[in-house]
Amino acid sequence: MTALVRLRLAGFLRTGRALAPVLAGLLALGVLYGGGRAQPAEAYGVSAVVLFPVLAWQTKILLDVEPDVQRRLARVVVGAARERAAGLVAAAVAGLGAVAVALVFPWLVGGVTGPSGPGDRPLAEGLALGLWAHLLALPAAVALGGLASRAITRNAGYGVAVLTLGAVTVLVLGLSGSVAPWLVPPVLPTARALAGPLAASTGVLLTAWGLAWAAVALTGYAWGRRSRA
């Protein structure tokens, strides 16, 4: 399976398909950090929200790069479960690269600042919470990108519709006062939590919520792949 992961990452990079989400992510981060400096935890919480649709889009592009015939051959060679897992792992690895860029970028453009007052979080804590926020958003973004991939939707238009609808729904239902926030991953609730003091119980709840949502969505992806095999 490792060879298949490398093959899919190589195809994603060598075809130049990685360029579009990278540029979109950098543009979004540039706009985000162009308004002034902020504490790392708060800034990274918003950064995870901004990057969520980009990570989902990047996943869809990576999964769609492989021709359908090649994907079927890989399924025969390594098995259906490993073939599906290889695509998701490759998408997660690419997502980790985007997360690393998101964590470094604001320091290069002066978008974040260290603690300046007695109530500010220590720098190490802010960085750890920022990493947590991005890693919490990544599995859900990979799951959404998988559900929007050609292997599930069979149609480019349907795939774009699923991706767009999913990203918009995450933002709308994630707003404060939403009637059904549990239907989407806690991307916005995490950003709100990082804007102030974060209780350990809140962090555990958000983590469990995000992982549970991603697990359900990935189960749907696996079921969709089996039903369309």
Side-chain angles (χ1 to χ4, degrees):
M1 192 177 77
T2 301
L4 187 55
V5 171
R6 291 176 178 172
L7 178 65
R8 289 181 169 173
L9 286 172
F12 179 59
L13 295 173
R14 290 176 182 174
T15 59
R17 305 288 178 84
L19 188 60
V22 167
L23 292 178
L26 290 176
L27 177 61
L29 292 174
V31 173
L32 171 64
Y33 292 112
R37 310 179 83 186
Q39 293 294 310
E42 182 178 0
Y44 285 140
V46 180
S47 169
V49 175
V50 169
L51 278 186
F52 178 81
V54 177
L55 291 171
W57 181 36
Q58 177 176 269
T59 297
K60 172 175 168 51
I61 293 175
L62 186 149
L63 294 177
D64 287 352
V65 165
E66 187 176 41
D68 293 337
V69 174
Q70 182 174 314
R71 185 172 60 249
R72 295 188 187 102
L73 289 174
R75 187 166 62 241
V76 171
V77 173
V78 303
R82 289 188 176 185
E83 183 274 321
R84 290 193 300 268
L88 296 174
V89 170
V93 171
L96 287 175
V99 167
V101 172
L103 294 177
V104 173
F105 182 83
W107 297 98
L108 301 179
V109 298
V112 290
T113 181
S116 57
D120 294 338
R121 289 187 175 96
L123 181 59
E125 181 182 348
L127 292 173
L129 289 173
L131 176 62
W132 167 72
H134 284 84
L135 292 181
L136 188 58
L138 179 58
V142 169
L144 176 58
L147 291 172
S149 65
R150 187 177 67 250
I152 296 292
T153 63
R154 300 299 194 190
N155 182 285
Y158 291 155
V160 171
V162 170
L163 186 66
T164 304
L165 181 62
V168 171
T169 303
V170 167
L171 297 179
V172 172
L173 293 184
L175 294 174
S176 181
S178 169
V179 295
W182 59 87
L183 292 178
V184 295
V187 180
L188 277 176
T190 300
R192 288 195 297 271
L194 292 183
L198 178 65
S201 58
T202 301
V204 172
L205 175 61
L206 290 171
T207 301
W209 177 0
L211 294 178
W213 192 94
V216 171
L218 290 172
T219 300
Y221 171 76
W223 177 85
R225 287 293 310 276
R226 285 196 299 267
S227 65
R228 288 162 174 78

